[in-house]
Amino acid sequence: MISGTEAITTKALSLALDAAALRQQAIATNIANANAAGYIPLRVSFNAEFDAVRRSLVDRGRTDLNALGAVQMQIEPALDDYGIARPVELDAEVAALAQNATHYQTLIRGLSRHLSILASAVSEGKK
């Protein structure tokens, strides 16, 4: 079992990957239904809970796996401040899709590097 900083790093990267995958799904659905009459665009919501974890990190200087495990992500309608569904802006959605794909690839590289460091530490520890 991984403990300490390694576990938190792994959990945070995994959570970020889950969020990026869910965001990709919501954006793709918005693009697919851009011309559908009455379609309400979707967005991924989890920032408020993740901000609470971030604040605990700043206030206490640390966080724990339980706090990260409590972060919930969900797809919800994209509404403006008045509760009205905004129209799908196809060019903005395609740009968001490309940006999210780049973000996802970067997270994959980060997780791969993190796990490689852990594997190296384990293999060197066996010598």
Side-chain angles (χ1 to χ4, degrees):
M1 168 102 189
I2 301 172
S3 63
T5 304
E6 296 81 20
I8 291 174
T9 302
T10 303
K11 180 66 176 178
L13 285 167
S14 297
L15 184 63
L17 280 167
D18 290 345
L22 196 58
R23 191 175 299 118
Q24 197 80 352
Q25 180 183 357
I27 294 168
T29 301
N30 289 344
I31 291 171
N33 292 297
N35 293 327
Y39 176 73
I40 298 174
L42 304 174
R43 68 182 175 119
V44 175
S45 173
F46 77 103
N47 291 337
E49 293 165 347
F50 197 71
D51 285 342
V53 172
R54 187 179 300 134
R55 277 192 304 276
S56 79
L57 180 61
V58 169
D59 294 343
R60 297 184 304 157
R62 63 183 177 83
T63 191
D64 58 15
L65 284 176
N66 294 333
L68 284 174
V71 175
Q72 299 293 315
M73 294 173 279
Q74 59 188 14
I75 294 179
E76 62 184 28
L79 306 174
D80 64 12
D81 294 337
Y82 302 104
I84 299 170
R86 62 172 182 80
V88 175
E89 297 174 8
L90 199 52
D91 53 345
E93 294 289 340
V94 171
L97 190 71
Q99 180 183 17
N100 193 60
T102 302
H103 185 223
Y104 189 85
Q105 291 169 356
T106 302
L107 288 167
I108 289 288
R109 278 190 230 112
L111 183 59
S112 176
R113 184 167 293 148
H114 176 68
L115 294 176
S116 173
I117 290 168
L118 290 177
S120 177
V122 168
S123 66
E124 291 297 319
K126 289 182 178 179
K127 290 184 180 180

